[in-house]
Amino acid sequence: MDQLRYDPPGPPEYPCCGHLNKSFKCRKLTMRDIKEFHENFYSTRAKNSQDAFIIKHVKVTSAKRPRPKKKLTSTKKVSTNYYIRVSGTEKFCIRVCQQTFVNVLQVSRKRIQNLARKFLNTGRMPVDKRGGARPNPLYDKKKAAIKRKRPLLKHS
């Protein structure tokens, strides 16, 4: 079931933003670049590997101007730049806007932003902490009674 969660929901989308300026070069991407980048991301269905791929293609820095709004908690703390590798090269990447990056990988903005924030705060790759044993001392008496094969009396 967990593997299905990280399968591609469909083919990648070509960017509809049309950026081709000093900052973003979304229109320079070819459909081959997009398809290869998408396939590389979904080549593994493990969440930690996909997160590492995202962190590898994202540059995260603390915001130079946090721009506080009405509430202090809504200030911008992380600045993120997104890059897509050009097919056929190892080092050449094109900087794209957030919407293009999200559309190509078909992941949520929230997933990328949370990864970027955690990576900036800790300096390490975030690890998935779901699953595993959850020892609960509330049921120790019940477990011991079952092992002794004696019924447990309820206290009212």
Side-chain angles (χ1 to χ4, degrees):
M1 176 67 181
D2 198 37
Q3 296 296 324
L4 293 176
R5 178 179 293 167
Y6 301 107
D7 279 352
E13 297 176 19
Y14 190 77
C16 58
C17 62
H19 286 124
L20 186 59
N21 53 32
K22 192 175 182 181
S23 298
F24 305 121
K25 309 271 190 253
C26 302
R27 271 200 307 185
K28 276 195 167 185
L29 290 171
T30 63
M31 199 58 202
R32 181 179 175 196
D33 298 333
I34 292 169
K35 187 173 184 273
E36 190 173 302
F37 191 74
H38 179 82
E39 286 173 354
N40 287 339
F41 178 71
Y42 285 107
S43 63
T44 178
R45 303 299 195 264
K47 182 182 186 307
N48 289 334
S49 299
Q50 289 182 351
D51 289 349
F53 185 89
I54 290 172
I55 292 294
K56 185 178 176 182
H57 292 90
V58 165
K59 182 181 174 189
V60 185
T61 55
S62 57
K64 292 179 184 172
R65 298 187 325 183
R67 294 184 178 88
K69 309 241 181 200
K70 292 178 183 176
K71 298 177 186 174
L72 292 176
T73 57
S74 66
T75 60
K76 181 180 175 183
K77 295 180 176 81
V78 177
S79 177
T80 312
N81 296 331
Y82 305 92
Y83 298 91
I84 292 182
R85 186 176 309 280
V86 175
S87 64
T89 64
E90 284 297 314
K91 295 186 179 183
F92 188 63
C93 293
I94 294 176
R95 184 174 175 205
V96 295
C97 65
Q98 181 186 43
Q99 189 61 45
T100 297
F101 195 79
V102 167
N103 287 347
V104 169
L105 293 184
Q106 295 179 332
V107 295
S108 68
R109 274 184 26 222
K110 187 175 180 180
R111 178 177 174 186
I112 296 170
Q113 289 171 345
N114 285 339
L115 275 171
R117 184 178 31 81
K118 288 176 185 175
F119 183 72
L120 183 66
N121 290 341
T122 62
R124 294 188 185 142
M125 192 49 222
V127 179
D128 192 17
K129 296 180 182 178
R130 294 177 297 168
R134 290 194 169 51
N136 194 339
L138 294 174
Y139 301 108
D140 286 344
K141 289 181 185 177
K142 193 181 279 189
K143 193 189 307 183
I146 291 170
K147 285 181 180 178
R148 289 190 309 259
K149 296 184 180 179
R150 242 179 36 202
L152 180 66
L153 300 175
K154 290 187 176 181
H155 298 285
S156 25

